[in-house]
């Protein structure tokens, strides 16, 4: 199977970005860094407030560094049966940034342990 | 349609760029380069992209934005059809042209017009051979260097159809053109 996105040209694709957002759009173009040209970009899932998925942008260029995944859109059974798209409720998609809560405290502790262990060794050798 | 190609053809148009930080920059695109660094004119900067929280932070006449800092670029709605029209009209102009202005010397100049999205474009490879090759399209999948955004006059390919594979043993894609040959010494054969 070709690794190129050529197969997906002018088709509806699902895009996942590094910010954890999920879109559906029509793929118009791509390049080797996965910069994409997409048209009719909409959200993949609907919030409870909206009844319809609005077009977020008609033509957009997405930077390759932002894109996590891109795949062919296949409507779920629910979607095709109910004749309304994007009916699936939004699952939690995290972003790609690995954020640890109170990371500075973790590192402080690491530093402490390090100092602690070196001083211990010195005592033993003495 | 290559993204950078589209962007290069969007010069002069209003664009809306969201940065990795979430800020939004709106302005008229003046220039793009191969790394997607852009210069914009008549710029408005907004702190975030939601319409509620929008605070106009800065207005400037010109701004230079590094490509790596871009999240996405919103273009005008009609840009794709406009660009495709441009391509088609340039093809119609070129297919009837005499090739007087093309100098095929012995320097191997690879005019690498790689448009990867299924469009086969011309790679002008000037070879030192007995006969001159016009319009040898080489599908060079492995030689992706900079996206050479071509002057559309050099694009002789119909963007809607695939070129036929050549049978002259070069392994590339050859497009057949009518040649108005004004050189008496070198006959061009396909």
């Amino acid at each position: 199977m070709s690794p190129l996105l050529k197969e997906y040209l002018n088709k509806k694709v699902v895009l996942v970005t590094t910010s954890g957002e999920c879109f559906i759009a029509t793929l118009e173009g791509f390049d080797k860094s996965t910069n994409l040209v997409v048209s009719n970009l909409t959200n993949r899932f609907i919030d409870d407030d909206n009844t319809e998925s609005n077009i977020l942008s008609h033509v957009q260029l997405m930077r390759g560094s932002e894109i996590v995944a891109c795949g062919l859109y296949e409507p779920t059974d629910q979607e095709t049966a109910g004749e309304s798209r994007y009916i699936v409720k939004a699952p939690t998609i995290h972003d790609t940034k690995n954020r640890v809560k109170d990371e500075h405290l973790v590192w402080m502790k690491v530093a402490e342990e390090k100092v602690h262990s070196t001083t211990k060794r010195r005592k033993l050798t003495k | 349609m290559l993204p950078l190609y589209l962007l290069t053809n969007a010069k002069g148009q209003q664009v809306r760029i969201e940065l990795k930080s979430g800020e939004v920059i709106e302005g008229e695109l003046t220039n793009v380069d191969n790394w997607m660094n852009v210069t914009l004119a008549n710029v408005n900067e907004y702190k975030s992209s939601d319409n509620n929280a929008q605070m106009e932070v800065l207005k400037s006449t010109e701004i230079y934005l590094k490509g790596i800092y871009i999240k996405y670029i919103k273009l005008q709605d009609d840009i794709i059809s406009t660009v495709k029209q441009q391509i088609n009209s340039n093809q119609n102009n070129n297919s009837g042209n005499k090739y007087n202005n093309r100098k095929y010397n012995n320097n191997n100049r690879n005019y690498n017009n790689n448009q990867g999205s299924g469009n086969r474009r011309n790679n002008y490879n000037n070879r030192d051979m007995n006969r001159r090759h016009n319009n040898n399209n080489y599908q060079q999948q492995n030689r992706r260097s900079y996206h050479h955004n071509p002057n559309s006059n050099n694009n002789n390919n119909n963007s809607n159809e695939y070129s036929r594979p050549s049978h002259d043993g070069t392994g590339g894609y050859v497009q057949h053109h009518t040649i108005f040959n004004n050189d008496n010494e070198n006959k061009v054969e396909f």
Side-chain angles (χ1 to χ4, degrees):
Chain A
M1 196 183 281
S2 169
L4 294 179
L5 287 171
K6 192 177 77 177
E7 323 269 322
Y8 295 173
L9 269 184
N10 301 315
K11 299 208 175 104
K12 268 202 148 49
V13 288
V14 184
L15 294 174
V16 182
T17 60
T18 55
S19 45
E21 289 178 305
C22 202
F23 303 111
I24 292 191
T26 316
L27 185 66
E28 300 284 341
F30 66 95
D31 64 8
K32 255 237 164 132
S33 353
T34 327
N35 297 324
L36 302 182
V37 180
V38 290
S39 60
N40 302 326
L41 186 89
T42 67
N43 266 314
R44 172 70 179 90
F45 309 108
I46 319 179
D47 308 335
D48 293 326
D49 336 41
N50 305 342
T51 46
E52 197 183 310
S53 206
N54 294 318
I55 291 187
L56 296 172
S57 89
H58 288 275
V59 182
Q60 186 168 294
L61 194 158
M62 302 200 74
R63 184 110 177 132
S65 51
E66 275 290 300
I67 291 164
V68 171
C70 169
L72 270 184
Y73 168 63
E74 277 163 23
T76 60
D77 296 333
Q78 262 187 322
E79 287 173 340
T80 39
E83 272 207 39
S84 58
R85 294 137 113 219
Y86 326 120
I87 205 176
V88 186
K89 200 183 160 222
T92 329
I93 305 178
H94 296 286
D95 58 9
T96 55
K97 333 284 179 206
N98 185 18
R99 263 184 282 264
V100 178
K101 200 181 173 194
D102 295 331
E103 191 173 346
H104 60 286
L105 294 177
V106 175
W107 289 112
M108 238 166 63
K109 233 188 163 203
V110 171
E112 277 173 25
E113 292 290 320
K114 230 182 180 175
V115 170
H116 186 60
S117 60
T118 49
T119 49
K120 218 178 177 178
R121 250 186 256 127
R122 251 185 259 131
K123 278 181 190 167
L124 289 172
T125 52
K126 225 180 186 179
Chain B
M1 179 89 16
L2 274 192
L4 278 174
Y5 180 68
L6 196 67
L7 213 52
T8 320
N9 284 296
K11 285 190 202 176
Q13 292 182 6
Q14 277 286 111
V15 294
R16 204 181 173 90
I17 304 186
E18 174 156 337
L19 309 181
K20 289 214 186 286
S21 62
E23 284 160 357
V24 174
I25 302 208
E26 192 168 334
E28 181 191 318
L29 184 68
T30 44
N31 215 340
V32 196
D33 66 6
N34 290 326
W35 300 273
M36 218 182 275
N37 299 329
V38 290
T39 52
L40 303 170
N42 304 325
V43 174
N44 293 324
E45 278 184 48
Y46 303 105
K47 250 207 167 154
S48 84
S49 66
D50 351 310
N51 286 319
N52 313 326
Q54 225 169 48
M55 266 181 353
E56 217 168 278
V57 176
L58 199 60
K59 273 189 183 165
S60 36
T61 34
E62 195 168 33
I63 203 173
Y64 174 86
L65 182 61
K66 285 215 87 174
I68 50 177
Y69 202 52
I70 293 175
K71 198 185 283 189
Y72 61 74
I73 303 180
K74 274 194 190 163
L75 307 159
Q76 282 178 3
D77 297 356
D78 54 351
I79 186 182
I80 289 191
S81 36
T82 318
V83 172
K84 283 196 176 155
Q85 265 174 33
Q86 266 179 31
I87 297 176
N88 284 329
S89 62
N90 276 325
Q91 279 166 27
N92 293 335
N93 287 340
N94 281 340
S95 52
N97 279 348
K98 296 188 177 187
Y99 292 137
N100 341 7
N101 49 348
R102 299 195 190 282
K103 310 220 160 156
Y104 292 95
N105 333 340
N106 286 340
N107 49 335
N108 293 334
R109 244 180 23 186
N110 250 339
Y111 202 2
N112 200 358
N113 294 346
N114 266 332
Q115 305 272 341
S117 50
N119 295 336
R120 306 268 179 263
R121 301 282 176 115
N122 290 344
N123 284 328
Y124 294 101
N125 193 352
N126 299 314
R127 288 187 178 185
D128 185 12
M129 294 175 84
N130 291 333
R131 47 184 197 172
R132 289 183 180 176
H133 285 267
N134 289 337
N135 303 329
N136 280 332
N137 299 341
Y138 292 108
Q139 186 184 16
Q140 298 186 357
Q141 296 271 350
N142 298 324
R143 286 199 50 180
R144 294 285 209 116
S145 53
Y146 298 116
H147 297 287
H148 197 118
N149 293 315
N151 178 2
S152 2
N153 277 331
N154 287 319
N155 174 26
N156 288 331
N157 212 339
N158 188 347
S159 60
N160 293 326
E161 63 184 26
Y162 287 84
S163 308
R164 284 156 280 147
S166 74
H167 295 293
D168 59 351
T170 55
Y173 284 81
V174 172
Q175 185 159 34
H176 295 262
H177 282 280
T178 50
I179 304 286
F180 296 86
N181 194 2
N182 36 4
D183 285 332
N184 286 328
E185 330 89 69
N186 291 332
K187 282 223 157 208
V188 180
E189 293 172 357
F190 283 97

